[in-house]
Amino acid sequence: ESAAAAAAASLEEVTAALRDLARALWEEHRDHCLEGGVPLLWAATRVHNNDDVPAFKELAKSIAEADVQLVEQASNQVCVDHLLFGEEQEQVRFIVDDAAKQRRSQMLSWYLHKKSGWLRPRGSLADSVLWLLLRFIEIGSGDLRLDFWEQCWSGEGHRQLAEASIVAILFAVAHLAPRHDSWPKRLFDALLNPTADPEHVKQRQAFEASKQLLPKAQRVLTPLLRRGIDSERSLLMLGGR
């Protein structure tokens, strides 16, 4: 017990030291920190709703208040690539670039199952999906690769993986769609197409996942997510009269 207590105390000291360092860097070298761009805003989003790191929540809130500057800032590629290890970048890039739809689906299935076995699948897959979204926006792909994103959204039936993908996609729609080309918004509209999803299952999944985003992002997404559900509710109410 004494060893465990000592380890816990040591962890708290390290956490406090890291928090103080991060706060000092943000307060004294903000211009340089802003070069982190979207990945830094993503980190603030992740910390904001993570009760495992309460010491960093105040700092995350301060960073989130600079969201406009972070999004308009061209993200340092080193920061973007920090979302994925180099080897994994190659794996994911190869899956996306594979021309054969069936083979791409099989490889993505393998990748998602591999993620589900990792210690923190939610975080690692969310980072992967955001890296891909930023890559698609950067190259200005005209092909939505909707089959790829549908598969990510489903998480191969793994709830945590599906939630991770949805959170990353919603983050891109809330923060990037207004200031970049319409690629994130086109993807969002295609995924939540009411014709393909008449029961609004995806809208409800997205609405629940949006609670993991920053308050400002939630305010941007809420009218988009409620639109179809409210329309359905109105029709039901009219039909019941």
Side-chain angles (χ1 to χ4, degrees), residues 62-170:
S62 177
I63 293 173
E65 291 171 353
D67 63 322
V68 174
Q69 293 171 278
L70 287 166
V71 169
E72 291 181 345
Q73 170 71 44
S75 298
N76 186 307
Q77 191 60 41
V78 173
C79 296
V80 174
D81 288 342
H82 183 69
L83 295 168
L84 287 181
F85 293 113
E87 180 181 348
E88 192 173 353
Q89 289 177 27
E90 294 305 315
Q91 290 176 349
V92 175
R93 189 180 285 117
F94 183 73
I95 293 172
V96 175
D97 293 344
D98 194 306
K101 181 178 179 179
Q102 182 177 358
R103 185 162 64 246
R104 184 169 69 239
S105 176
Q106 292 172 342
M107 293 171 65
L108 180 57
S109 179
W110 165 82
Y111 181 74
L112 292 172
H113 281 293
K114 176 182 176 182
K115 282 290 188 183
S116 69
W118 289 4
L119 183 61
R120 296 184 67 85
R122 178 181 302 180
S124 57
L125 182 65
D127 290 347
S128 302
V129 173
L130 181 61
W131 186 89
L132 281 165
L133 287 162
L134 293 175
R135 174 66 179 164
F136 269 70
I137 291 171
E138 179 187 357
I139 63 178
S141 175
D143 182 2
L144 286 178
R145 293 287 177 111
L146 187 58
D147 60 299
F148 175 90
W149 298 108
E150 289 273 12
Q151 201 169 343
C152 283
W153 187 287
S154 74
E156 292 285 287
H158 193 293
R159 186 183 62 80
Q160 284 189 312
L161 294 178
E163 185 179 88
S165 292
I166 296 169
V167 168
I169 292 170
L170 294 180

Side-chain angles (χ1 to χ4, degrees), residues 43-61:
T45 298
R46 295 279 301 282
V47 170
H48 183 267
N49 289 307
N50 188 343
D51 292 331
D52 292 337
V53 285
F56 290 88
K57 286 201 169 193
E58 183 181 342
L59 177 60
K61 181 180 179 180

Side-chain angles (χ1 to χ4, degrees), residues 9-23:
S10 177
L11 180 59
E12 288 182 6
E13 290 178 3
V14 171
T15 300
L18 289 173
R19 178 201 60 206
D20 293 343
L21 174 61
R23 182 187 294 134

